[in-house]
Amino acid sequence: MRSANTCPGTVFLVGAGPGDPDLLTLRAARLLAEADVVVYDRLVSPEILALIPPATERVYAGKQASRHTLPQPEINRRLIELAGRYRKVLRLKGGDPFIFGRGGEELAALVAAGIPFAVVPGITAGVGCAASTGIPLTHRDFASVVSFVTGHRQHEALDLDWPALARHGQTLVFYMGARELPEICRRLIAHGLPETTPLAVIQQGTTPRQQVVESTLAAAERHNPLPDATETGLIIVGEVVGLRRR
Ligand code: SAH
């Protein structure tokens, strides 16, 4: 704890990786042990939260699509306020802070407020889930491009460059898209991807609760294989998904 008139503490914007604590970076693990306060997201797994020392203050800033626990400007304000009180503020985010993590917005707020910061990268869900399910995201014979795509609707529309996404020879990784899976499949087929293109949906990847469903564009368009689809699944589309079986 610091008195209000000393210089502000540092905010560490840290990626927690996809869930398995063994996939934390050494730097993230060290900062977890040293931080005065941890501000964490809904995506941070219970296994990782268990590594926070009991005496460390915790602030939950979890977000769920359409059910914001704390709106983003409120999180930004809270980080600035905590930096006035503590020496080391750890802002812990699922995966990597700069991959669909709104890390850029939080940094901009810290810079504007003159708060020192550091960014610690994390293993993003696309990379972690590919490893834990045995799907090589690139492959000499099947995919020379991999794209990380948001499947979250902005202003009602799934406003993406579908002709580019439907091009042959790439792997698509959709974040926050499980609920929109049939619509994603419909658009990809309409723009030319074969109906037989395999896909996998991974939930709670890299944790003991990991679930994987495999399907094809045509089948998943007709029927979302995740009956109570939340936005927390990750979708991998491309011929590389078929390599899992081998
Ligand atoms: N910054 C995070 C992504 C935040 S967006 C990262 O780099 O991974 C939230 C989306 O990430 C979820 O909707 C889901 O698509 C994906 N996600 C995060 N962790 C996941 C996990 N363990 N298993 C499957 N998907 C995950």
Side-chain angles (χ1 to χ4, degrees), residues 17-20 41-43 93-102 122-126 129 174-178 202-207 210 230-235:
D20 179 352
D41 248 49
R42 174 182 59 94
L43 279 175
K93 287 173 163 290
D96 180 85
F98 285 166
I99 304 279
F100 305 125
R102 304 190 73 170
I123 293 181
T124 189
C129 292
F174 286 92
Y175 288 70
M176 300 174 282
I202 300 118
Q203 292 185 294
Q204 306 211 54
T206 79
T207 74
Q210 169 169 294
T230 60
E231 294 206 351
T232 59
L234 184 95
I235 306 163

Side-chain angles (χ1 to χ4, degrees), residues 47-58:
E47 290 85 356
I48 287 174
L49 293 179
L51 300 178
I52 303 173
T56 307
E57 185 177 335
R58 298 172 182 219

